[in-house]
Amino acid sequence: MSAELSPAEKGKFISARRAVDYVQDGMKLGLGTGSTAAWMVKCLARRVQQEGLQISCAATSTRTAELAKSLGLDVRALDDLGWLDLTIDGADEFDPELSLIKGGGAALLQEKIVASASDQMIVITDPAKEVASLGAFPLPVEVIPFGAMTTKALIEQMLTEMDVAGREVTLRMAGDKALRTDENNLILDLHLQKIGNARELSLMLNQIPGVVENGLFIDICDIVVIGDGAGKVTVKDISDGSSHTEAVTVTAADYSFADPKQ
């Protein structure tokens, strides 16, 4: 691909390429899902091809697994790999404590399992995803199909006692049918606008029968890499509270592979 990227896509590419620098030979990696993660998979495959890295990967969705395999990466089941060294994934929102909302791509369950089974999680994102308080992005909750509307009603009732600014709950659709996850579950999107206590909300949601998992990632992310289409990348590390920005030069040759699949 030689066409110029939009600023948004350039930012995604910059963050993905920078995050791949953390990968070392012999690592077992978790591969995230979404448009930014797709750039990461392509950048990772290029490093493997150019440097001969020996790595193995667990994917967080069927579409990520298919993309990674098509690029020659060694993709295995998470149970076959055991504990992972590093997971690199995107996010829909992140706050100053590097708490996240994830699940815009309906892969939050596998994403949370893989990230929780890793020594370190790096999130790749863009400046628009940084917020002072989580909640502007609808919070996804994965629920089993049986009694899904009852589960929805229980969530709505629970939200009346939570510190949130909105309480609308909608069933995520794919065309005229309810969207199904890789595990054949459903997604409820919670339009909360602002979450006062994300930790409490996460715990309360997961106590409701029918809820499989929610899209709040608390105390899981270690580093956020923020790519800016203007030509810079910022790295925030929760372990030492550091934040530094680097200038980045990107040419068409750097992203000359095919467009990432969503």
Side-chain angles (χ1 to χ4, degrees), residues 33-151:
T33 294
S35 57
T36 311
W39 280 118
M40 177 271 298
V41 172
K42 290 179 176 291
C43 292
L44 176 63
R46 175 177 284 175
R47 272 203 68 194
V48 169
Q49 182 180 32
Q50 293 179 343
E51 302 175 30
L53 299 179
Q54 297 296 313
I55 62 171
S56 50
C57 309
T60 57
S61 67
T62 300
R63 59 187 180 274
T64 293
E66 291 174 349
L67 175 61
K69 289 176 181 177
S70 74
L71 296 170
L73 293 175
D74 178 16
V75 180
R76 308 184 194 181
L78 177 61
D79 285 343
D80 291 338
L81 292 179
W83 200 258
L84 305 177
D85 298 292
L86 172 65
T87 288
I88 305 176
D89 202 350
D92 298 301
E93 281 187 348
F94 71 95
D95 69 9
E97 286 73 45
L98 304 195
S99 295
L100 319 170
I101 286 181
K102 289 180 52 57
L108 68 96
L109 177 58
Q110 289 190 18
E111 288 173 335
K112 189 173 281 190
I113 291 171
V114 170
S116 298
S118 304
D119 285 336
Q120 189 176 49
M121 181 189 190
I122 296 176
V123 163
I124 46 179
T125 185
D126 59 79
K129 307 295 176 58
E130 185 171 9
V131 296
S133 179
L134 298 176
F137 190 91
L139 173 64
V141 178
E142 186 160 341
V143 301
I144 66 170
F146 177 81
M149 293 302 99
T150 298
T151 303

Side-chain angles (χ1 to χ4, degrees), residues 243-255:
S243 177
H244 67 274
T245 300
E246 309 162 3
V248 178
T249 300
V250 176
T251 67
D254 295 321
Y255 49 82

